Amino acid sequence: MLYQQRDHKWVYLFTEGRTEMKALLGGKGANVAEMTQAGLPVPPGFTITTEACNAYTQYENQFPEGMWSQAQTALAQVEADTGKQFGGNQNPLLVSVRSGAAISMPGMMDTVLNLGLNDETVEGLAQFTENRRFALDAYRRFIAMFGNIVMKVPHEKFSRALERFKLQTDSGRDTDLGEDHLDELINVYKRIIFTDRHGDEFPQDPFEQLRMAIAAVFDSWNTRRAVEYRRIHRIPDDLGTAVNVQVMVFGNMGWGSGTGVAFTRNPSNGDKEVFGEYLLNAQGEDVVAGLRTPKSIHEMVNELPESYQQLMGIIQRLEAHYRDMQDIEFTIEQGKLWILQTRTGKRTGAAAVTIAVDMVDEGVIDRETAVLRVEANQLDQLLHPTIDPDADATVVATGLPASPGAATGIVVLTPDDALVYSEQGHPIILVRHETSPDDFHGMAVAEAILTARGGMTSHAAVVARGMGTPCIVGADAIQISEEEGYFYTKEHKVRRGDWITIDGSTGSVLLGQVATKQPELGDHYLTLMGWADGMRQLGVRANADTGHDASVARNFGAEGIGLCRTEHMFFGDDRLAIMREMILAEDLAARQVALEKLLPIQRHDFLEIFKAMDGLPVTIRLLDPPLHEFLPNFEELQVELYELKLKTQQADTFAKIDQLLHQIWEKEQLLHRVEQLREANPMLGHRGCRLGLLYPEVTEMQTRAVMEAACEAQAQNIAVQPEIMIPLVSAETELRHQRAVVERVAEAVLGTYGMKLDYHIGTMIELPRAALMADRIAEHADFFSFGTNDLTQTTFGLSRDDSGRFLSHYVTEKLLTDDPFQVLDQNGVGQLVQLGVERGRQTKPALKVGICGEHGGEPRSIAFCQEVGLNYVSCSPYRVPIARLAAAQAALRQQKSA
Ligand code: PEP
Ligand code: MG
């Protein structure tokens, strides 16, 4: 076992690491090592590996053999490099202890600063810096941080004590606390720990502090918020975190010191400008925690001009080196600039697109890299609605536009409420003073986030941008009363449960549900998508049932309709009545009468779709759902009948009785038919092609409607390519039968119109037997389209309608990695898809094959479609851009791995 190998290397000095060692040293450790070796001003230190973290977790939370002694040796080297002594009472070495996983999880795990301070070293620091106030301030911060993160004492206990002390000063700021206050506060903090931990003291031995802090960082890999973050961002649990132990530098050594964060480009919109914030006389936590509102980085040019110039130079160097936008943390200690870390900066979808395209134009990366670099799902943010500028809206407050997009929801004030209300199906907006990592579960379910405090790099802003959730921070006009359940401004009071709207692109908080508007896609987007289209092999179509949806899809770049669900056309009130008439018909003749009424309606709808898709293929699926879905509910009908009978008993005139008796008769007829059509398991009942088999007149009417619309379109010079698709086939005989009906009617229509046009007849493969029998089925099919919704349902034996209740539990408990209705189960259902493609093409090598289940718009499922050689994917209109980009990425990755 690794953890028993004493001589295994668990610890690397920054001078030993390399950027390629990310998996072992974590992103932060690898980058800090790289910067150290490039000669940048990085405070010295060392990294304890992710392997050590995994060994620790596996071995009952014990450090692996040899790790601690290697850490002590590395620390001795750092002492030698700096001339400071850890635990020394002259010129004490203080360190930060920070987590750093291979994949960045901003704000999710723990950091301890100023470690090494105790009652003696604090005096050493005071003497060395000739600033006792500073030393005491560092010490009180350390005790609170250590107490909270390592000893698990609630953070509020320390902040409440601090608030009490601040009240004793003239202007109430923490920088106003004098030495006496701080001395006293330190004792109060120690007592808080002692009481909360039932007699455990804050440890005075620096080595004990270090040992405990390292263990706490390892432990933080498995906190609720970290686990939740990994689940949402699909980061594997077994990566582990590295621990970086680094010499402290101080941004809070007076007004010639400061600390900040800088992005090499704007992470909200991608503009090529250094974007960042800093605070003078502060430590890093002050910027990130949003406790003080920081200044724009460019104001530094006046306050600390030399450091500013040097920082700008380093920023450029780092971006050029990593060839990507960087997120850099720095500290200035008494005029000397230190770079604490650099990492690839998180950005919004819009920024990702802009930066990728700009970097190609600048010659920094090639087009393939640009296309691969934008996460396909992130495009969703670009398609987000914005507030309709014509909408009448009352602005309650404004803040910083931290993450773009407009969202409406009801106000909640705590993360737990967020969870409760969202589980009840409410869209919610989480309103907080500021957020901390403990709020993550509430942030994850929010439509938008609003905070009263904090800057553009505060926790709320960073996390929201990462998730693509609209967010406003620093809306300082609002006051929040969590206990009372409302927030207020001078003019307004907004209660928990009230609706508000957030415009994360402008920073406006609006009262009520405000109308939103669809976005316009800019040049950068069009350029990137143009490149992607040139790189992909999969076609991208849309699932659309109306002319309007079809044109939306076409504007987003759809190359055809992959699925038109004709049943959706029957749901309007007037249409439903005719549909019911058709279903309730006693005999064929009566059914034909109703079908004749449906014919022009369908023909009109198809014509609209053909017009919208002029020149592109349109796949129209024949009626699929069980007929009773169009009829009233059986139990409700029974109640209505009972009520009618009651009324009859109470009626006082013959005319009334007569009228009611007639209504009763009608209701009984309906009830009788509904009862006849009732099925114990309708999903596996009389639906799909089974309807057309028993009622061929329905197939006939629908075929006529499609072909007549096609002929009329062609007569208007619209190019049409109709594809008629037979659903839920499991035997080739079913398809043969339905194909014969379709062909007969189609030819008859063409004869009547005296026209020729290309039409195709194909089938959905959405039952396991259809996949298995695909070679036989292909004899009668011009194309296949995988209905992976039903195929998932029937392969798993999981009801599409009922599994929502328990499937999330499977995912949380990791019994399944994903919900198989969202992400294609490649191992299981995927086998049937692959087999279906292979067998179909055994019979017809050029068989066109697509997918039209929900998975057709999901990037990982699209990659699978590329691997098994599908011709196209089809998805909802708004996912078309995502599918186009994902298809290009799938093709590029396949080429790379070939
Ligand atoms: C499917 O089953 O995947 C499909 C596209 O059809 P529907 O969702 O309409 O059943
Ligand atoms: Mg289906």
Side-chain angles (χ1 to χ4, degrees):
M1 298 291 250
L2 210 52
Y3 57 78
Q4 287 169 326
Q5 292 173 18
R6 202 154 213 297
D7 51 356
H8 187 79
K9 189 163 172 63
W10 303 108
V11 176
Y12 288 77
L13 286 162
F14 291 167
T15 46
E16 293 176 310
R18 290 188 314 278
T19 201
E20 302 81 60
M21 293 165 73
K22 262 201 177 108
L24 188 65
L25 302 181
K28 190 180 294 176
N31 283 339
V32 165
E34 178 104 343
M35 288 196 294
T36 303
Q37 285 165 52
L40 293 181
V42 177
F46 58 90
T47 304
I48 303 172
T49 64
T50 53
E51 273 179 6
C53 173
N54 286 335
Y56 169 89
T57 314
Q58 281 161 23
Y59 192 49
E60 295 169 357
N61 294 357
Q62 306 267 351
F63 290 157
E65 289 265 341
M67 186 205 97
W68 179 240
S69 65
Q70 288 177 29
Q72 285 174 303
T73 311
L75 191 63
Q77 181 61 48
V78 173
E79 286 179 323
D81 291 346
T82 54
K84 294 172 185 262
Q85 199 194 344
F86 191 60
N89 51 15
Q90 298 285 317
N91 179 8
L93 174 69
L94 305 184
V95 294
S96 64
V97 180
R98 294 167 190 258
S99 60
I103 299 173
S104 138
M105 298 169 49
M108 284 303 125
M109 287 178 309
D110 289 336
T111 291
V112 182
L113 303 177
N114 303 344
L115 189 137
L117 282 172
N118 60 21
D119 293 349
E120 279 178 30
T121 56
V122 70
E123 298 304 340
L125 184 68
Q127 272 171 24
F128 182 74
T129 57
E130 295 175 6
N131 188 343
R132 186 158 186 276
R133 191 207 164 272
F134 159 76
L136 292 174
D137 191 52
Y139 192 25
R140 69 98 186 156
R141 285 167 185 266
F142 170 53
I143 300 174
M145 226 176 192
F146 191 92
N148 173 233
I149 285 164
V150 182
M151 302 185 78
K152 310 294 176 220
V153 179
H155 165 72
E156 300 77 55
K157 295 199 173 177
F158 300 107
S159 52
R160 273 203 296 270
L162 178 62
E163 290 302 320
R164 275 204 312 278
F165 275 77
K166 285 199 299 198
L167 287 180
Q168 296 168 22
T169 65
D170 289 342
S171 40
R173 290 181 307 212
D174 54 358
T175 43
D176 297 329
L177 294 170
E179 286 177 35
D180 291 350
H181 286 132
L182 289 169
D183 267 325
E184 221 181 302
L185 185 58
I186 285 164
N187 287 328
V188 170
Y189 277 2
K190 285 186 197 158
R191 273 204 303 282
I192 288 174
I193 293 179
F194 185 78
T195 317
D196 192 85
R197 296 297 308 241
H198 306 292
D200 278 352
E201 302 262 6
F202 162 75
Q204 288 288 325
D205 174 5
F207 286 94
E208 178 62 6
Q209 293 171 357
L210 182 60
R211 205 190 50 72
M212 288 172 74
I214 293 169
V217 173
F218 283 162
D219 290 336
S220 73
W221 179 252
N222 284 317
T223 54
R224 174 180 170 182
R225 66 181 192 240
V227 171
E228 186 76 351
Y229 185 94
R230 289 200 293 273
R231 192 176 65 72
I232 289 173
H233 290 86
R234 314 193 44 73
I235 299 172
D237 283 328
D238 58 1
L239 295 183
T241 179
V243 182
N244 297 292
V245 179
Q246 188 172 26
V247 173
M248 278 300 302
V249 286
F250 293 96
N252 54 343
M253 275 179 126
W255 299 101
S257 303
T259 188
V261 179
F263 290 84
T264 56
R265 304 195 184 208
N266 186 315
S268 275
N269 60 22
D271 280 355
K272 191 170 189 227
E273 61 186 11
V274 174
F275 179 90
E277 292 170 331
Y278 75 106
L279 276 171
L280 286 186
N281 202 8
Q283 281 201 316
E285 50 168 339
D286 301 329
V287 181
V288 180
L291 296 172
R292 277 159 62 188
T293 302
K295 295 182 183 175
S296 155
I297 192 100
H298 299 294
E299 287 181 42
M300 232 175 99
V301 75
N302 304 318
E303 292 191 315
L304 297 168
E306 272 175 37
S307 298
Y308 177 77
Q309 297 306 347
Q310 195 192 351
L311 178 65
M312 292 300 134
I314 289 176
I315 281 173
Q316 279 195 355
R317 253 179 89 183
L318 283 173
E319 187 180 279
H321 181 79
Y322 288 103
R323 294 171 188 269
D324 200 354
M325 190 261 269
Q326 296 294 297
D327 163 0
I328 297 159
E329 276 180 30
F330 64 90
T331 285
I332 296 152
E333 185 183 85
Q334 295 185 321
K336 164 127 181 75
L337 175 70
W338 294 97
I339 304 295
L340 301 186
Q341 76 158 312
T342 186
R343 60 185 166 193
T344 303
K346 297 253 179 253
R347 63 204 80 178
T348 62
V353 171
T354 302
I355 292 171
V357 173
D358 282 351
M359 284 194 165
V360 173
D361 292 345
E362 292 158 24
V364 179
I365 56 173
D366 58 20
R367 290 179 178 186
E368 281 79 14
T369 309
V371 164
L372 284 168
R373 198 170 266 178
V374 178
E375 205 185 301
N377 272 330
Q378 262 197 318
L379 287 184
D380 199 29
Q381 293 169 33
L382 271 77
L383 315 174
H384 266 322
T386 49
I387 301 288
D388 184 343
D390 297 332
D392 235 358
T394 310
V395 177
V396 195
T398 48
L400 301 171
S403 179
T408 295
I410 60 168
V411 168
V412 295
L413 302 169
T414 66
D416 290 342
D417 273 357
L419 213 54
V420 171
Y421 283 87
S422 86
E423 274 171 3
Q424 290 168 4
H426 300 287
I428 58 105
I429 293 185
L430 180 62
V431 183
R432 300 287 278 163
H433 204 56
E434 68 220 11
T435 64
S436 79
D438 289 335
D439 294 352
F440 185 69
H441 57 292
M443 301 170 79
V445 296
E447 302 295 319
I449 297 161
L450 165 65
T451 69
R453 292 276 192 87
M456 293 290 274
T457 50
S458 65
H459 178 263
V462 172
V463 173
R465 275 201 296 273
M467 297 192 297
T469 306
C471 175
I472 297 175
V473 297
D476 48 17
I478 67 173
Q479 304 283 333
I480 300 172
S481 174
E482 204 177 295
E483 298 79 38
E484 313 276 326
Y486 59 79
F487 75 81
Y488 61 96
T489 62
K490 268 195 195 131
E491 282 102 30
H492 300 280
K493 182 166 174 181
V494 181
R495 291 186 185 77
R496 180 175 50 223
D498 287 353
W499 286 88
I500 58 168
T501 299
I502 294 290
D503 187 349
S505 315
T506 62
S508 303
V509 185
L510 310 163
L511 276 188
Q513 288 173 273
V514 181
T516 53
K517 190 171 137 296
Q518 293 314 318
E520 280 161 29
L521 300 163
D523 288 348
H524 284 95
Y525 165 84
L526 294 173
T527 305
L528 186 84
M529 295 308 280
W531 295 339
D533 287 343
M535 292 169 196
R536 69 182 157 88
Q537 288 148 7
L538 282 167
V540 177
R541 297 194 187 185
N543 297 352
D545 315 318
T546 63
H548 173 264
D549 287 359
S551 32
V552 170
R554 190 169 190 163
N555 284 338
F556 281 138
E559 297 160 317
I561 299 299
L563 174 63
C564 167
R565 292 176 163 104
T566 52
E567 60 269 18
H568 290 177
M569 297 173 171
F570 296 125
F571 280 119
D573 263 354
D574 47 338
R575 299 170 172 211
L576 194 59
I578 312 175
M579 190 65 183
R580 283 187 180 163
E581 186 186 326
M582 192 274 281
I583 298 167
L584 296 172
E586 296 279 343
D587 53 25
L588 179 62
R591 192 152 45 244
Q592 290 284 23
V593 172
L595 285 168
E596 282 301 320
K597 292 187 203 166
L598 289 174
L599 175 73
I601 297 176
Q602 286 235 294
R603 189 173 51 218
H604 166 269
D605 290 352
F606 293 144
L607 184 57
E608 293 300 304
I609 295 177
F610 286 136
K611 281 184 188 165
M613 299 311 286
D614 187 0
L616 300 176
V618 176
T619 307
I620 294 167
R621 180 179 73 185
L622 301 185
L623 199 61
D624 181 31
L627 291 181
H628 71 83
E629 278 195 12
F630 299 95
L631 296 179
N633 177 285
F634 181 76
E635 282 77 18
E636 280 171 17
L637 275 179
Q638 279 182 317
V639 174
E640 284 167 23
L641 189 62
Y642 175 73
E643 284 169 356
L644 277 177
K645 286 181 177 168
L646 269 186
K647 274 191 194 161
T648 319
Q649 283 169 12
Q650 292 153 3
D652 48 9
T653 66
F654 281 120
K656 250 192 211 164
I657 294 176
D658 217 31
Q659 194 191 8
L660 284 164
L661 284 176
H662 183 71
Q663 285 179 17
I664 290 176
W665 180 82
E666 277 182 342
K667 209 53 63 179
E668 278 175 345
Q669 295 292 310
L670 186 59
L671 191 70
H672 177 64
R673 191 73 180 121
V674 172
E675 191 172 17
Q676 277 182 333
L677 288 170
R678 237 151 73 105
E679 291 179 302
N681 193 348
M683 265 295 178
L684 299 178
H686 194 197
R687 57 168 288 215
C689 67
R690 300 159 198 170
L691 291 171
L693 273 150
L694 267 75
Y695 306 122
E697 55 277 14
V698 176
T699 306
E700 286 169 6
M701 182 281 285
Q702 291 203 290
T703 308
R704 258 181 76 192
V706 173
M707 295 307 289
E708 288 180 1
C711 288
E712 283 180 25
Q714 189 157 283
Q716 296 174 31
N717 278 333
I718 293 160
V720 282
Q721 297 181 48
E723 299 179 333
I724 295 177
M725 182 156 74
I726 316 294
L728 215 79
V729 159
S730 58
E732 85 271 19
T733 47
E734 292 171 319
L735 184 59
R736 193 176 62 207
H737 177 280
Q738 287 292 286
R739 182 176 183 111
V741 176
V742 172
E743 268 176 350
R744 176 169 48 77
V745 176
E747 291 304 321
V749 172
L750 291 177
T752 312
Y753 277 77
M755 279 190 176
K756 278 201 163 126
L757 61 84
D758 247 2
Y759 67 94
H760 294 103
I761 304 167
T763 187
M764 297 194 66
I765 303 291
E766 50 184 342
L767 293 174
R769 191 175 191 280
L772 296 168
M773 302 298 291
D775 49 346
R776 304 281 291 276
I777 291 175
E779 287 169 15
H780 311 287
D782 304 330
F783 65 88
F784 279 177
S785 179
F786 280 92
T788 43
N789 301 335
D790 273 311
L791 192 59
T792 300
Q793 164 167 262
T794 47
T795 304
F796 272 90
L798 260 179
S799 157
R800 278 163 78 168
D801 298 330
D802 303 314
S803 59
R805 293 195 202 138
F806 53 86
L807 215 47
S808 56
H809 178 79
Y810 271 62
V811 178
T812 329
E813 292 299 313
K814 302 206 166 67
L815 300 171
L816 288 173
T817 43
D818 295 284
D819 176 339
F821 289 109
Q822 288 171 17
V823 181
L824 186 74
D825 160 47
Q826 297 184 14
N827 294 335
V829 179
Q831 283 192 49
L832 286 170
V833 174
Q834 187 166 10
L835 201 107
V837 178
E838 283 166 10
R839 293 196 177 168
R841 288 193 181 143
Q842 268 166 28
T843 305
K844 286 193 179 153
L847 186 73
K848 190 167 63 175
V849 184
I851 178 176
C852 61
E854 284 309 305
H855 310 93
E858 193 283 318
R860 279 176 290 150
S861 312
I862 292 172
F864 178 79
C865 294
Q866 165 82 23
E867 280 165 34
V868 297
L870 294 200
N871 299 89
Y872 68 87
V873 297
S874 188
C875 56
S876 70
Y878 279 88
R879 293 201 74 81
V880 165
I882 296 170
R884 286 162 65 198
L885 184 57
Q889 295 174 340
L892 289 173
R893 293 205 175 101
Q894 198 182 38
Q895 274 164 27
K896 279 196 176 157
S897 65

